Amino acid sequence: MFADYTTSELMSIFAMQGFAGLILFSVFVLMALGLAIIFGQMGVINMAHGEFMILGAYITYLTSNVFADYMPNLFGAYFFIAMILAFIAAGALGMLVEWAMIRHLYHRPLDTLLATWGLSLILQQCYRTIFGAREVGVTLPDWLMGSFQLTDIIEVPINGIFVMTLAVGISVAIAALMYKSRWGIQVRSVVQNRPMAGAVGINTARVDRLTFGLGCGIAGVAGSAFTMIGSTGPTSGQLYIVDTFLVVVFGGAASLLGTIASAFTISQAQSTMEFFLSGSMAKVLTLLFVVFILMLRPQGLFSLKVRR
């Protein structure tokens, strides 16, 4: 298989596969961060998380059309506006869902799983009714097009670098919010000991609502990033939901560091094996590897000590 390649060509190919893995890692991180916050704090298995991501993607699609039709001179900056609007729209819908449905189903994990799965079907049908069944694409600004030519073989796409930068920036912002802010202290207090947090005056219901909205808002930003690497359709979110849950469980619930480490491990393993095997076989082997590790360490790579 490798006899026709020189050593430098093989190194270049592996470098490109590694960069492809980093792009996949960035998407996993953006998707899994919000899910890790929701699942880690509230124990809610949000099967509609992918649909919140697609809401962000459709908001980006609408924003690009508005800028192209009415503000073409500002088209190069529309993506930043789209990310803000995607965060607000997905976060607001998430807070509404928490108030109307999720808060009535706490401590009933199977019921929340079924309810959010039903919500995902409802949102898919809403998207299909509003935007149609066909997938839509977003026209990227000129500054996101093209690639950097590192060597004669290795090309690094600019939009891939932007996605990675976005993932790093959001990860740092979430870490600062969770560990350096007053609200983050309240969130971690609720995670570690909910009854005691309520006893000292923390409004746990408000913390839950804001946390659910934050997690869904991050999914909306992930949807904006998703438009740069794939087309958007009513069921596109289902393509990533299994991998996202895999990342969260493997990394350890309520652990941001575990989520990032898990996303990097799974994405690089999957990208590397896709070079030797088919994409479906790479997914199967990655799943088997994760299941084996979880059999040895059920709490995941990183676990949070919780007072009971």
Side-chain angles (χ1 to χ4, degrees):
M1 178 179 179
F2 303 108
D4 297 332
Y5 297 98
T6 64
T7 302
S8 60
E9 289 176 336
L10 285 175
M11 292 180 64
S12 299
I13 292 173
F14 278 114
M16 293 179 65
Q17 286 297 119
F19 186 80
L22 288 177
I23 296 177
L24 185 61
F25 156 73
S26 302
V27 175
F28 281 172
V29 166
L30 291 174
M31 279 289 290
L33 274 178
L35 195 62
I37 294 173
I38 294 172
F39 182 63
Q41 181 197 325
M42 303 188 300
V44 174
I45 304 174
N46 184 15
M47 295 297 294
H49 197 73
E51 279 60 48
F52 286 98
M53 182 192 82
I54 296 305
L55 174 61
Y58 276 125
I59 292 294
T60 304
Y61 167 72
L62 293 176
T63 305
S64 69
N65 288 343
V66 169
F67 271 75
D69 294 337
Y70 301 103
M71 293 175 284
N73 294 333
L74 300 176
F75 188 78
Y78 90 85
F79 204 84
F80 298 102
I81 305 298
M83 286 192 296
I84 296 174
L85 294 177
F87 178 83
I88 294 174
L93 179 60
M95 293 177 66
L96 176 63
V97 168
E98 196 280 337
W99 174 81
M101 182 176 69
I102 300 298
R103 68 189 177 103
H104 303 291
L105 301 174
Y106 287 134
H107 310 298
R108 295 158 61 183
L110 291 180
D111 290 343
T112 51
L113 188 150
L114 291 174
T116 54
W117 178 66
L119 175 65
S120 72
L121 298 180
I122 293 173
L123 291 177
Q124 287 177 28
Q125 189 57 46
C126 290
Y127 299 152
R128 191 174 289 109
T129 302
I130 297 173
F131 299 101
R134 298 182 61 182
E135 294 185 342
V136 297
V138 171
T139 302
L140 296 179
D142 292 338
W143 61 273
L144 282 175
M145 305 293 287
S147 60
F148 291 116
Q149 188 82 30
L150 298 183
T151 66
D152 294 336
I153 299 177
I154 301 177
E155 291 185 358
V156 179
I158 296 176
N159 58 0
I161 296 176
F162 180 80
V163 171
M164 289 190 293
T165 305
L166 180 64
V168 172
I170 290 180
S171 299
V172 172
I174 293 300
L177 181 65
M178 296 299 291
Y179 295 101
K180 298 296 183 181
S181 70
R182 180 180 178 85
W183 182 77
I185 294 174
Q186 294 180 356
V187 171
R188 290 185 288 122
S189 299
V190 173
V191 172
Q192 294 185 9
N193 195 323
R194 180 179 291 269
M196 185 59 69
V200 299
I202 295 177
N203 188 340
T204 58
R206 179 175 177 271
V207 170
D208 287 338
R209 189 160 304 139
L210 291 176
T211 302
F212 197 88
L214 175 65
C216 294
I218 296 173
V221 177
S224 291
F226 175 78
T227 59
M228 288 189 285
I229 61 175
S231 55
T232 303
T235 60
S236 297
Q238 297 299 310
L239 300 177
Y240 288 91
I241 190 65
V242 175
D243 290 329
T244 304
F245 272 110
L246 199 65
V247 167
V248 173
V249 174
F250 184 49
S255 174
L256 296 181
L257 179 60
T259 298
I260 295 173
S262 173
F264 181 81
T265 302
I266 292 176
S267 62
Q268 289 297 329
Q270 187 170 310
S271 178
T272 301
M273 285 189 290
E274 283 179 355
F275 179 72
F276 301 98
L277 307 167
S278 63
S280 58
M281 183 58 67
K283 282 183 174 292
V284 169
L285 292 178
T286 303
L287 178 60
L288 291 176
F289 169 75
V290 171
V291 169
F292 176 74
I293 296 298
L294 290 177
M295 289 175 63
L296 301 177
R297 189 177 174 82
Q299 69 270 33
L301 294 178
F302 297 84
S303 60
L304 179 70
K305 293 182 179 180
V306 179
R307 297 179 184 271
R308 298 294 185 186

